[in-house]
Amino acid sequence: MLKNILPAVSYIFHPIFISLYATLFYLFSNNSSFINNEKIFIVSQVAIITVLVPMLFFFVLKSTKMISSYKVPTVSERKIPLVIHCFLLILILKKTITIERYAELHFFMLGALTSTLIALILAFFKRRVSLHMIGISGLTIFVIGLNLHDQISYTIAIALLVLMNGIIASSRLALGDHSERQLILGSLIGALPQMLLLYLWL
């Protein structure tokens, strides 16, 4: 049973979904003042740009054998997906999640872009880090920031995210996808840019 649960956790909290999860939490949190039509429009755009488009790129890369599997197991295979992800985040920052309208979420996306760029640079130096931990740790800091900013208690959400950090790290270790060092480094790369950017919107 554990063998089925661990891969499921990795898929549910795959890095490709993290921006969508952050957007959903931001728009549908207790302090949200956005109308439903706007929420649906923004969620749809984020889902298309950060989930659907990357999936299509992964399919093309796999079909052309530029990557050996959708897990992107080697460092060299990660470069193209990371570059694509950077461009898509830049697109979303410029066209959808603007600082004028969605300041908090804009800075989260900017932090995600920074973390992705760091992971890309490390890939060129043949250093592999956990993208899962980059994603979940960045999301955790973002929700903690919203808790402070909105002055509304998101204690349950934060507790669940902290728990998921541990579960995801354990699943990556158990599946043999990463070493402890790669998991710790991934957590730092995901969390630190978000923590630094908190000073710009808290």
Side-chain angles (χ1 to χ4, degrees):
M1 184 176 179
L2 188 61
K3 289 182 179 180
N4 295 325
I5 293 174
L6 292 180
V9 170
S10 291
Y11 282 119
I12 292 169
F13 288 94
H14 192 281
I16 203 173
F17 298 120
I18 296 299
S19 293
L20 179 59
Y21 293 158
T23 302
L24 287 168
F25 189 89
Y26 174 73
L27 293 176
F28 292 93
S29 62
N30 292 334
N31 203 37
S32 174
S33 59
F34 304 107
I35 61 174
N36 288 334
N37 287 342
E38 183 178 6
K39 292 177 182 178
I40 294 169
F41 177 73
I42 294 300
V43 168
S44 298
Q45 284 205 352
V46 172
I48 290 170
I49 295 172
T50 66
V51 179
L52 182 58
V53 172
M55 283 183 173
L56 292 173
F57 272 113
F58 270 108
F59 178 76
V60 172
L61 292 172
K62 180 69 169 60
S63 299
T64 56
K65 297 183 178 180
M66 296 184 74
I67 58 174
S68 57
S69 77
Y70 295 113
K71 287 187 176 182
V72 198
T74 66
V75 177
S76 59
E77 290 178 351
R78 288 182 163 211
K79 294 175 185 176
I80 295 177
L82 286 171
V83 168
I84 292 170
H85 190 58
C86 285
F87 278 113
L88 292 174
L89 285 173
I90 291 170
L91 175 64
I92 232 174
L93 283 165
K94 285 185 170 291
K95 299 296 183 181
T96 303
I97 310 298
T98 59
I99 192 171
E100 294 82 12
R101 179 62 176 163
Y102 313 101
E104 301 88 352
L105 189 58
H106 180 89
F107 283 115
F108 168 78
M109 296 292 183
L110 185 59
L113 174 61
T114 304
S115 297
T116 306
L117 285 169
I118 294 171
L120 177 60
I121 291 168
L122 289 174
F124 278 102
F125 286 96
K126 298 182 179 180
R127 294 289 184 269
R128 190 166 179 258
V129 297
S130 173
L131 300 180
H132 279 78
M133 294 311 299
I134 287 177
I136 192 65
S137 62
L139 179 61
T140 303
I141 297 300
F142 176 60
V143 174
I144 292 172
L146 285 178
N147 181 86
L148 298 172
H149 180 268
D150 296 344
Q151 296 186 343
I152 295 176
S153 178
Y154 298 130
T155 306
I156 295 175
I158 293 170
L160 287 173
L161 284 169
V162 171
L163 178 63
M164 289 314 303
N165 274 265
I167 292 174
I168 291 169
S170 299
S171 72
R172 305 310 286 168
L173 277 176
L175 293 170
D177 290 326
H178 288 289
S179 66
E180 291 182 7
R181 182 177 180 179
Q182 291 169 345
L183 293 169
I184 293 170
L185 190 56
S187 296
L188 292 173
I189 293 171
L192 289 177
Q194 297 293 342
M195 292 174 68
L196 291 173
L197 288 169
L198 285 180
Y199 289 99
L200 298 179
W201 62 271
L202 279 185

